[in-house]
Amino acid sequence: MNDQTSVGQGYDDLRVALRDGVARLIAERARRRRNARMLGLTAVALVCVSGLAFAAATYVGSPAPKAVQDDIAAVDAGMPAGLRLDPDVHNARSVAGTGASTLWVADLADGGRCLELTTTYYPNVRAPGCSTGTALDLSPIAATLPNDETSDPSAPVVIAGHVEPASAAALSLELSDGRRIPVPFGTQRFYVIDLTGADAADVRAHGVALVAANRAGAEVARVTVPSDWDAGAADVEAATKSDITTRSDSSDFTKVLGIDGVLADPKPASLALVYDANTTVNIALAADGSFHYDVPQNRQGDFMTPRHLIGRDAQGRVVVDRQVAAVAFWRGEDR
């Protein structure tokens, strides 16, 4: 939740029921992160729905169907008026596509955008993500890769996004053996590409680099997708040493209903939540370093100001100091 590599990770935890234990929490978070790995996008919300993807009968400039509009609009669910992104969903449209996959865009008033990818390869995975105008300058190449937790190492790989530099005239995928696969642009340097067979297997095994070049062939931007982008939940859980997440209700993301996690490296001897100079609450730690804390109703609205989780070793020295805050706070920080 507090990992600022991607603010969107905070939104991944919003509807998780954690009362059956922290181990299931981490596995669930890992599954959602894997369902739509977003690189270079902020304010990410993942929505999994039933039904068919909308790629087959679309063309560049097609108006987005209502289901896509609703997905994009949902990024503002539970947000106070001052922190809503207000994407222009009524004018959402397709900007790149293949026979199986379509990338949709809805504009933001500040020059940013919300993107959503739909694909017939993974019809139950939908991944809307938004970037403010300021954030776009930090992401020369944005990429999203949906995945449905398939165990097939050669299952199709879909990559979609946008190349920001206006000087970019071409985009290609650079595979592990150095071979390059051209990626056609849709409108305004948006792109979608579907990989199958050996090419898909190579990306799943080794990752891939996206390379943008100008008309002279000189590289103007590059982003690397790591080889673990589709790692299984068990693998991610096993590698997790420390993890803290907040529970929220989608009706009001200014509130925090609870805090859960595991602190294994370093593992403190004691843990406390510091609300302010006058109020500190001790939180019980299990033998494996996991914890579960239900925020009292009268304090659930206090997290628009970050609070601190403080872990101490047996000698009383601070070994963990992590900020916890409401989802709406983190969105405000990104504005």
Side-chain angles (χ1 to χ4, degrees), residues 10 29 36 83 253:
R29 291 184 76 216
L83 293 178
F253 289 155

Side-chain angles (χ1 to χ4, degrees), residues 306-322:
R307 309 302 172 178
H308 283 259
L309 276 173
I310 303 296
R312 298 180 183 273
D313 64 15
Q315 288 71 46
R317 296 171 297 195
V318 175
V319 293
V320 174
D321 185 349
R322 295 281 296 273

Side-chain angles (χ1 to χ4, degrees), residues 20 31 62 67 70 80 107 109 131 145 160 168 182-184 195 204 212 226 234 236 242 259 267 297 332:
D20 292 335
R31 180 186 67 77
S62 294
D70 290 346
D107 299 319
S131 295
L145 294 83
V183 182
L195 300 177
R204 289 184 180 276
V236 175
S242 295
I259 308 168
K267 179 183 174 182
Q297 188 171 6

